[in-house]
Amino acid sequence: MTHKNFNFIILLLSFLAIQSFQLTAAQTIIVSGKVTGIDPLSPPIVRLCNAADSSLVKAAISDSLGNYEIEITKTGTFRIIIDQLDYQKYVSPAFEVDSASSRIELTAIALNDPVTKLDDVVVTARKPFIERKIDRVIVNPDALVGGSGTTVLELLEKAPGVIVDFNGNISLKGKSGVQIFIDNRPTYMSQEDLTGYLRSLPSNLVASIEIMTNPPARYDASGNAGIINIILKKLKERGFNGGITLSYGQGRYYRTNNSFNFNYRVNKVNLFSTLGWSENNSYQDLDINRYYFTPEGQPSSSFLQNSYIKRQHGGRSAKVGMDWYVSKKSTIGVVLSGFYNPSKTTHDSQASILAADNSVNSLVSAYTTADNLWYNGSANINYTWKIDSLGKELSVNADYIRYTSSQDQTLDNKVRTTDGTPVSALNLYSSLPADIDIKTAKIDYIHPLKSNNKLEFGIKTAFVNTDNTADFYDVVNDEKIPNYTFSNRFLYKENNNAAYANYAQEWGKFGMQLGLRFESIQMNGNQLGNPMVSDSSFSRMYNSLFPTAYFSYSPDSLKNHQLGLSFGRRIDYPNYQDMNPFTYPMDAYTYYAGNPYLKPTFSYNFDLSYAYKNVFAVSVNYSIVHNLINETNEQVNNIYYSRPGNYGNQTTYGINVSGEFNLTKLWIVQYYSELMNIGYNTSIYNQPLVENRWYWYVGPAFKFIITPKFSADLAGSYQTRILSGQFLTIPVGSLRLGLAYKILKEKGSVKLNLSDVLYTNQPGGDIRNIANSKANWLSKLDTRVLTLSFTYRFSKGKALNARQSGASDSEKQRVNAN
């Protein structure tokens, strides 16, 4: 199937879904009312139930003023039931809804009778795929059948506005530089290491994904595209509760992602743990073609290479923690976590070097192996003091994190003539150990004011120390001879201090949140010398202010319609090892190099949005970026050098739409689409890059409730060419299917998923703006995978409020242990 045909199919499905929604939307009946005497910070769940047997019809959460609104499409006799912690259960008199009704206004409900004990209540309601708040969008992955049995990285691909390319690079609404947080704690890893880590985490560990294009001042200012915060599941019930997920997937190679989590709450102690085990094997069949020209623009030679890359990636992760409820107001928590990820990569390449007339001059064969062990341990201690019943709260967090990486790599590169005569050979062995130590601490204080106003203050400090060694050896007759051209040792230290203030206010139909964050960072790098290379060092300091502002307006009291405007200033610091000036070969004709002259990226982001419930949302975005950090390519003497560099100015602007609605009672539609323009005005290695291009992305998903126990998913995505610095990608698309069946009294489920059904998610593109050269590439990946998964959960007792912990900030994103 061609990209054009696939594009047409996606458009047709989206059009039919939206048209059908418009035909059915007018048939709804609205039941509305108000609950008085509630805590605005804990609005109640209002259940509309059948009067005969109290079975749930639909549920809603009231707003902070107690207003609620429930849409239904059926008639009958109903009643309202409210179960609110610390209040007596409320059951309304029965009332009739007939076909002539369009809106039912109920009398106000008062919850004024606190009780000491409330019987356990279980409310079964499907979470929406997308929820919106003034400063973020929340994605609930459990609403997708196709999310089970996959990895967290694959799950991110399904989140609206998030694009993951074939190398695992994550962009948000067309922009790179996304900070990835896990449980409000930055991951402190480079993109390459972060990709491996997210591939090792089973998706069933994820409770929700928070997407913040303009994060509030409480979060670190790093990440010019914003923050994606992955919240892992933490069970909250009393007694012993848990869940297990097992999965097996088969593409060309097998993969398995498994997880187990449990919680045990007794008296004042809550123990919890999450364990993950995975094996992910994949391949990349990569074609790279490079063409060289004389200064006059005439062809001089070309390099045509095919590489078969096999990756074996193992993942072992664990988190254990304890919350000790010292009193009703004070809680002390300890969390220990870590991962152990062994991996192996083999890279088998065959290339031809052609003359100007396209005749073959020589043949190149290269074989590379890399054995990598990447592990981590971290400890967090946290304290929370709920000062009073009005919501005043003080929290303290401290973290110690250590990353260790060891990599042994071999490169065997041979060049020969067409008749087999040897021309040259390169045999390298390298050992690349790395250690990263991170210490962070922060204090946050929340001070509610009158009339739904709130102040927040906080300070934090972070200390980072890295030690990277690269020992290279030429192997001659099985003897290792030190290679001082590539060998080096790089030491790096950093201290980051920050303070912030945030003010939020709601009055009537208006909402506002203003924040200001100050960050001061001191960087010191030192590359140690060797007999051939002299010492080098650098020292830099940056002091910056980062304002944020959010405004919202809801013309109706139930906040069905919401208008929003936001602004934020962001920064991206270079990854620690990207500033290391060393160079090492990926093969004899491709080198990777660091860049000690990297400058931080600053961005200014604007967003104007409108949303109608979760049914429809539209957002207009505009961003100005200075000194964007991205991959650059330079050609010197027919060798390609890949290194991080600064692109002077980038602008992005566009529009995106998203939503979720019931096409019928048994057919749920989720959709996301964006149209963005990316432009550059810069120079790379004296080559001008002044260009802008539009791209379009669409990603509809359909969920079918076939029976109460049996459901199915059909989802797809398509994106046109994207301009990313020197790279211009080709269009790619994907179609996936999922089936789910509940078993074991609905405590378990079996799911079957097939990804990339049409095998169209195969990336490629052009590498441009290179002096006297141009290049293109095409990848074939192991994207068509059939996955079978089993999930079982057991739960007893009352639900408790989850606590967030973690003092870590943006440094974690910037670790590179390779």
Side-chain angles (χ1 to χ4, degrees):
M1 176 178 289
T2 66
H3 294 298
K4 187 176 293 185
N5 291 336
F6 188 84
N7 183 357
F8 175 77
I9 290 173
I10 295 298
L11 276 174
L12 180 60
L13 289 174
S14 300
F15 176 79
L16 291 175
I18 293 171
Q19 292 300 312
S20 298
F21 164 70
Q22 292 174 344
L23 291 174
T24 59
Q27 302 171 7
T28 59
I29 302 168
I30 298 175
V31 178
S32 63
K34 184 172 184 177
V35 183
T36 63
I38 64 169
D39 180 356
L41 300 177
S42 181
I45 296 175
V46 180
R47 294 189 294 150
L48 180 69
C49 301
N50 288 308
D53 57 4
S54 296
S55 60
L56 179 68
V57 175
K58 200 166 185 180
I61 300 176
S62 74
D63 61 19
S64 60
L65 299 177
N67 299 304
Y68 66 90
E69 185 173 279
I70 303 173
E71 289 187 357
I72 58 175
T73 57
K74 59 185 292 188
T75 60
T77 305
F78 305 100
R79 65 176 76 247
I80 292 293
I81 299 177
I82 301 177
D83 298 292
Q84 177 76 344
L85 189 64
D86 295 333
Y87 290 90
Q88 292 179 350
K89 182 176 180 178
Y90 173 85
V91 180
S92 77
F95 58 92
E96 294 288 337
V97 175
D98 56 35
S99 58
S101 305
S102 61
R103 175 179 286 271
I104 303 294
E105 293 280 352
L106 301 178
T107 58
I109 299 168
L111 299 180
N112 294 318
D113 300 318
V115 296
T116 57
K117 185 179 184 300
L118 190 67
D119 293 338
D120 292 347
V121 176
V122 177
V123 178
T124 303
R126 187 184 67 84
K127 280 188 176 182
F129 179 53
I130 298 173
E131 298 177 78
R132 291 176 177 83
K133 295 187 176 182
I134 191 172
D135 56 4
R136 70 196 66 190
V137 171
I138 301 174
V139 179
N140 297 303
D142 285 345
L144 285 176
V145 172
S148 179
T150 60
T151 68
V152 171
L153 188 66
E154 292 170 310
L155 184 60
L156 282 177
E157 293 178 309
K158 302 176 177 66
V162 179
I163 296 177
V164 181
D165 71 13
F166 69 101
N167 283 325
N169 298 308
I170 301 170
S171 61
L172 179 60
K173 294 186 178 180
K175 296 190 298 179
S176 59
V178 182
Q179 288 282 352
I180 303 297
F181 280 54
I182 295 180
D183 287 337
N184 287 310
R185 303 167 65 192
T187 46
Y188 287 92
M189 286 181 260
S190 70
Q191 183 60 62
E192 181 180 356
D193 296 321
L194 177 63
T195 297
Y197 175 55
L198 295 179
R199 282 186 176 134
S200 73
L201 285 180
S203 60
N204 285 87
L205 295 179
V206 177
S208 63
I209 300 172
E210 298 179 343
I211 300 174
M212 294 171 272
T213 53
N214 277 328
R218 182 178 184 129
Y219 290 88
D220 296 278
S222 295
N224 82 85
I227 288 174
I228 297 176
N229 187 23
I230 301 169
I231 305 297
L232 300 181
K233 291 178 179 176
K234 180 181 176 182
L235 302 179
K236 298 164 287 184
E237 292 82 10
R238 297 180 187 272
F240 185 76
N241 311 276
I244 185 171
T245 296
L246 307 173
S247 75
Y248 178 86
Q250 185 66 54
R252 176 175 294 185
Y253 301 109
Y254 86 94
R255 57 199 69 186
T256 179
N257 295 281
N258 312 282
S259 65
F260 171 72
N261 60 343
F262 77 87
N263 156 256
Y264 181 65
R265 169 70 190 272
V266 56
N267 298 325
K268 293 185 176 183
V269 176
N270 184 51
L271 302 174
F272 55 91
S273 179
T274 300
L275 306 174
W277 180 82
S278 65
E279 295 287 341
N280 285 282
N281 303 295
S282 63
Y283 75 92
Q284 180 182 6
D285 191 351
L286 174 64
D287 289 314
I288 297 179
N289 302 313
R290 301 171 183 165
Y291 305 93
Y292 304 95
F293 303 91
T294 66
E296 295 75 28
Q298 297 300 314
S300 61
S301 63
S302 54
F303 177 84
L304 310 180
Q305 182 184 56
N306 174 263
S307 300
Y308 187 84
I309 306 167
K310 183 179 180 182
R311 298 183 176 92
Q312 300 169 276
H313 194 284
R316 320 286 185 262
S317 62
K319 179 174 72 173
V320 295
M322 179 189 73
D323 290 329
W324 175 31
Y325 302 95
V326 182
S327 67
K328 290 183 178 180
K329 295 183 177 181
S330 299
T331 305
I332 297 175
V334 177
V335 182
L336 304 177
S337 60
F339 62 78
Y340 179 90
N341 295 343
S343 63
K344 182 175 183 179
T345 302
T346 58
H347 192 135
D348 191 353
S349 300
Q350 304 296 324
S352 300
I353 300 177
L354 281 63
D357 61 359
N358 288 330
S359 61
V360 179
N361 272 348
S362 55
L363 302 173
V364 182
S365 62
Y367 186 76
T368 302
T369 64
D371 290 294
N372 188 42
L373 180 58
W374 172 233
Y375 55 96
N376 148 271
S378 66
N380 163 262
I381 183 168
N382 57 85
Y383 172 74
T384 301
W385 177 30
K386 298 184 183 297
I387 300 173
D388 59 24
S389 60
L390 299 177
K392 294 179 184 177
E393 181 176 300
L394 178 71
S395 60
V396 181
N397 275 271
D399 286 276
Y400 174 72
I401 304 165
R402 181 175 177 84
Y403 292 93
T404 301
S405 174
S406 63
Q407 179 174 299
D408 295 324
Q409 182 174 295
T410 62
L411 168 61
D412 186 6
N413 195 99
K414 294 182 173 63
V415 181
R416 65 185 188 280
T417 62
T418 55
D419 62 5
T421 303
V423 176
S424 63
L426 174 66
N427 194 342
L428 275 179
Y429 168 80
S430 61
S431 176
L432 309 170
D435 294 299
I436 301 100
D437 284 290
I438 301 170
K439 302 171 185 176
T440 69
K442 70 172 184 175
I443 301 174
D444 298 289
Y445 173 68
I446 301 174
H447 188 91
L449 303 172
K450 295 180 179 180
S451 303
N452 292 326
N453 298 350
K454 183 172 65 173
L455 276 172
E456 293 183 66
F457 304 95
I459 58 174
K460 76 96 182 180
T461 186
F463 297 89
V464 180
N465 289 279
T466 75
D467 186 349
N468 275 68
T469 301
D471 289 328
F472 281 83
Y473 302 88
D474 293 303
V475 181
V476 181
N477 298 323
D478 295 329
E479 181 181 352
K480 295 179 181 178
I481 302 172
N483 183 313
Y484 294 117
T485 301
F486 300 126
S487 295
N488 81 98
R489 186 180 180 191
F490 180 64
L491 305 177
Y492 177 82
K493 292 184 178 181
E494 179 179 293
N495 176 219
N496 191 337
N497 297 294
Y500 76 89
N502 197 77
Y503 173 72
Q505 179 177 1
E506 287 187 19
W507 64 99
K509 299 178 180 180
F510 293 89
M512 179 181 69
Q513 182 172 303
L514 302 176
L516 184 64
R517 185 178 186 89
F518 171 77
E519 289 194 1
S520 175
I521 186 169
Q522 176 71 48
M523 303 175 176
N524 296 285
N526 184 14
Q527 183 190 32
L528 305 184
N530 60 45
M532 290 183 60
V533 180
S534 301
D535 285 358
S536 63
S537 63
F538 64 84
S539 179
R540 301 189 186 111
M541 186 172 186
Y542 299 96
N543 298 299
S544 299
L545 288 171
F546 301 95
T548 55
Y550 313 86
F551 303 94
S552 66
Y553 172 70
S554 300
D556 60 310
S557 60
L558 296 181
K559 298 186 178 180
N560 292 329
H561 301 271
Q562 293 189 17
L563 292 169
L565 175 66
S566 68
F567 162 78
R569 184 175 189 250
R570 308 287 297 165
I571 190 173
D572 250 356
Y573 300 109
N575 288 337
Y576 307 130
Q577 283 73 19
D578 282 350
M579 292 178 285
N580 185 352
F582 77 100
T583 299
Y584 72 85
M586 301 171 71
D587 59 49
Y589 298 92
T590 308
Y591 286 9
Y592 176 83
N595 184 354
Y597 305 106
L598 284 174
K599 301 176 183 178
T601 297
F602 287 92
S603 64
Y604 302 83
N605 307 299
F606 304 84
D607 186 274
L608 176 65
S609 64
Y610 164 76
Y612 173 68
K613 297 184 177 181
N614 282 318
V615 174
F616 175 79
V618 60
S619 175
V620 178
N621 317 107
Y622 181 76
S623 175
I624 303 172
V625 182
H626 300 300
N627 292 320
L628 174 70
I629 299 173
N630 206 348
E631 181 183 353
T632 66
N633 283 268
E634 181 185 23
Q635 184 267 130
V636 180
N637 298 325
N638 290 354
I639 295 177
Y640 264 58
Y641 288 85
S642 174
R643 63 172 67 90
N646 288 116
Y647 290 80
N649 293 292
Q650 180 202 52
T651 58
T652 63
Y653 56 88
I655 186 172
N656 64 81
V657 295
S658 62
E660 176 182 5
F661 58 84
N662 284 25
L663 191 61
T664 70
K665 291 176 61 177
L666 306 179
W667 186 353
I668 302 165
V669 178
Q670 300 158 350
Y671 61 93
Y672 178 83
S673 183
E674 66 184 23
L675 181 65
M676 301 291 294
N677 183 281
I678 303 177
Y680 296 88
N681 187 354
T682 186
S683 177
I684 301 296
Y685 306 114
N686 299 317
Q687 300 299 304
L689 175 56
V690 182
E691 184 178 6
N692 67 85
R693 280 180 178 260
W694 288 92
Y695 81 85
W696 177 56
Y697 172 90
V698 61
F702 306 95
K703 183 173 182 178
F704 305 93
I705 312 298
I706 302 171
T707 70
K709 292 185 177 182
F710 185 39
S711 59
D713 268 1
L714 170 64
S717 64
Y718 176 77
Q719 71 180 41
T720 59
R721 285 178 172 266
I722 293 182
L723 178 65
S724 177
Q726 293 174 288
F727 298 88
L728 181 62
T729 67
I730 63 174
V732 293
S734 180
L735 182 68
R736 62 182 185 271
L737 301 172
L739 300 173
Y741 189 76
K742 297 178 182 179
I743 59 176
L744 303 175
K745 298 181 179 179
E746 300 192 5
K747 293 182 178 181
S749 65
V750 177
K751 299 181 180 181
L752 184 68
N753 305 312
L754 179 62
S755 62
D756 199 11
V757 177
L758 304 178
Y759 203 58
T760 52
N761 192 18
Q762 308 304 315
D766 300 319
I767 309 174
R768 310 175 311 154
N769 304 93
I770 303 175
N772 303 320
S773 178
K774 67 177 182 179
N776 59 62
W777 90 97
L778 179 65
S779 283
K780 295 179 181 178
L781 306 174
D782 201 7
T783 53
R784 183 189 291 159
V785 181
L786 183 66
T787 302
L788 178 66
S789 64
F790 165 76
T791 300
Y792 178 76
R793 299 188 65 81
F794 53 94
S795 177
K796 298 179 181 179
K798 284 184 181 177
L800 301 171
N801 292 328
R803 299 178 63 248
Q804 299 292 346
S805 62
S808 308
D809 42 32
S810 61
E811 293 81 8
K812 196 170 184 180
Q813 179 76 18
R814 297 158 51 212
V815 172
N816 186 345
N818 289 328

